[in-house]
Amino acid sequence: MTENPFLRFRDRLDSHAIALAGGMSDDRFVTIVQDLDAAVAAVDGHGMWVTPTVELPELASAAGLEVDLRVKVEVDQVAGSHKARHLYGVALHLLVTEGLGAPRAGQLAIASCGNAALAAAVVSRALDRSLSVYVPTWADQAVLKRLGDLGADVHMCERRAGEDGDPSYLRFREAVGAGARPFSVQAIDTPSTIDGGRTIGWELAEQAPGLDAVFVQVGGGALATATSLGLGEVRLSPVQAEGCAPLRRAWDRLAPGFDFAAAAEHPAEYMWPWGSEPTSAASGILDDVTYDWLPLLERTHATGGEPIVAAEATIRRAHRLATSATEVPVSATGTAGLAGLLTAPPPVGSRVAVLFTGIERE
């Protein structure tokens, strides 16, 4: 394990800036991070760490890609995915603001079908806070068992007659309206979730300098937005599956003028729930609304990229390639960015990155 990214990059974190602006010392901030990390390690076996970016010419060759391929591997991160980065960052904001005098946050809440819920459960357990998790009826039983083991209060959410949108997210919003504190990976509900997510981009920029493009799978949108913010001007290609692609639909409605101010004023004209039941082997990106769509499309446009929709056959092929050409135990959700690269490969010789974000669970 290498050093904690929240220490390595602390001078770039919003939570650190808030701490210093409020009169907290850097030493005190470091202690907060170290204490949180020790608590997370006590729950999950290890704390946060700088994950590797590896060159995988064998994977590029197996895929028929003539590019310099780099893969950021997150499957050994806390709770088995990148989601812990987001929620660890949210936890730091809570601890800093409370340390500066804000009231202690009580009940925490999240809507998720898998990795985000597990990360939230690990981090909330480390914080010694109660967590309500709102999940769909098809949530994985192994995930549900682990959530129970971590002490989360799990709510199974069925779709109600005449209701549009993800029922888990709708029940989560009801809980927030009743007083729960959002502890989620959607920046629209928990803006501080972007802070920790940027550590992926900062690490990638150091580990793979000179990137031409990055292909990032998209569910709610915070991962791709945060990674792009950390990387700067690298071309961003957000990837969704054909079975649920509201981001591309919004992009097409914005084109060719890309009036983001108008989109912000009338968001429902550009983003609404996917019309049919979302489906894909990459089940972790089946958010029927891309919650953080507007900042994500702004980043995509600013870097010269565009959203990619991968066919289901390509989603499955990317997973087969990743698990046969490498020894990384990554899920189909975690390889969906590779499916985007297969769908829209850049020019020969380009240096590109994808993220392997979630472990394949038994």
Side-chain angles (χ1 to χ4, degrees), residues 55-78:
E55 297 182 44
L56 287 178
E58 63 274 22
L59 176 56
S61 177
L65 296 167
E66 297 182 81
V67 298
D68 180 2
L69 177 60
R70 311 299 175 97
V71 178
K72 179 72 166 162
V73 181
E74 286 285 295
V75 300
D76 293 324
Q77 190 55 273
V78 167

Side-chain angles (χ1 to χ4, degrees), residues 259-294:
D259 187 342
F260 291 109
E265 189 173 350
H266 303 286
E269 295 181 11
Y270 301 87
M271 180 58 62
W272 61 91
W274 193 243
S276 56
E277 191 68 27
T279 179
S280 176
S283 59
I285 58 171
L286 294 182
D287 299 70
D288 64 354
V289 168
T290 307
Y291 299 103
D292 300 322
W293 66 277
L294 188 53

Side-chain angles (χ1 to χ4, degrees), residues 16-313:
H16 186 259
I18 291 168
L20 297 189
M24 187 179 290
S25 69
D26 178 68
D27 286 346
R28 177 57 187 149
F29 183 86
V30 168
T31 297
I32 289 173
V33 176
Q34 291 172 334
D35 289 349
L36 176 60
D37 213 51
V40 166
V43 175
D44 202 54
H46 65 84
M48 300 298 296
W49 67 298
V50 175
T51 57
T53 296
V54 295
E55 297 182 44
L56 287 178
E58 63 274 22
L59 176 56
S61 177
L65 296 167
E66 297 182 81
V67 298
D68 180 2
L69 177 60
R70 311 299 175 97
V71 178
K72 179 72 166 162
V73 181
E74 286 285 295
V75 300
D76 293 324
Q77 190 55 273
V78 167
S81 81
H82 71 284
K83 301 287 190 179
R85 292 185 186 259
H86 294 281
L87 292 160
Y88 195 101
V90 174
L92 282 181
H93 275 259
L94 284 179
L95 293 172
V96 165
T97 54
E98 289 173 2
L100 295 174
R104 189 179 192 274
Q107 182 69 38
L108 306 178
I110 185 172
S112 167
C113 61
N115 283 333
L118 289 173
V122 167
V123 177
S124 64
R125 180 72 173 267
L127 289 170
D128 193 25
R129 313 286 173 108
S130 298
L131 176 72
S132 293
V133 180
Y134 297 86
V135 301
T137 54
W138 47 264
D140 184 87
Q141 290 301 310
V143 171
L144 296 177
K145 182 180 184 305
R146 178 60 176 153
L147 289 173
D149 291 343
L150 289 166
D153 183 14
V154 179
H155 302 263
M156 304 290 290
C157 303
E158 296 184 356
R159 189 176 299 278
R160 297 174 182 172
E163 187 171 71
D164 289 327
D166 177 4
S168 302
Y169 182 75
L170 295 173
R171 302 295 84 77
F172 157 77
R173 288 303 312 163
E174 290 172 1
V176 171
R181 178 71 170 262
F183 195 66
S184 79
V185 294
Q186 283 101 26
I188 192 171
D189 300 302
T190 313
S192 56
T193 200
I194 295 294
D195 203 18
R198 291 184 297 166
T199 60
I200 296 176
W202 294 330
E203 289 175 24
L204 192 52
E206 287 188 350
Q207 296 166 337
L211 286 175
D212 296 304
V214 61
F215 292 74
V216 185
Q217 51 270 39
V218 169
L223 169 63
T225 303
T227 299
S228 181
L229 288 169
L231 279 172
E233 299 309 309
V234 176
R235 186 170 69 252
L236 172 63
S237 295
V239 182
Q240 291 188 310
E242 65 179 348
C244 186
L247 188 69
R248 180 71 206 202
R249 182 179 62 190
W251 175 270
D252 290 341
R253 290 182 69 83
L254 275 163
F258 293 99
D259 187 342
F260 291 109
E265 189 173 350
H266 303 286
E269 295 181 11
Y270 301 87
M271 180 58 62
W272 61 91
W274 193 243
S276 56
E277 191 68 27
T279 179
S280 176
S283 59
I285 58 171
L286 294 182
D287 299 70
D288 64 354
V289 168
T290 307
Y291 299 103
D292 300 322
W293 66 277
L294 188 53
L296 175 52
L297 290 187
E298 288 175 329
R299 285 299 303 166
T300 303
H301 187 261
T303 61
E306 66 176 285
I308 296 168
V309 178
E312 185 60 20

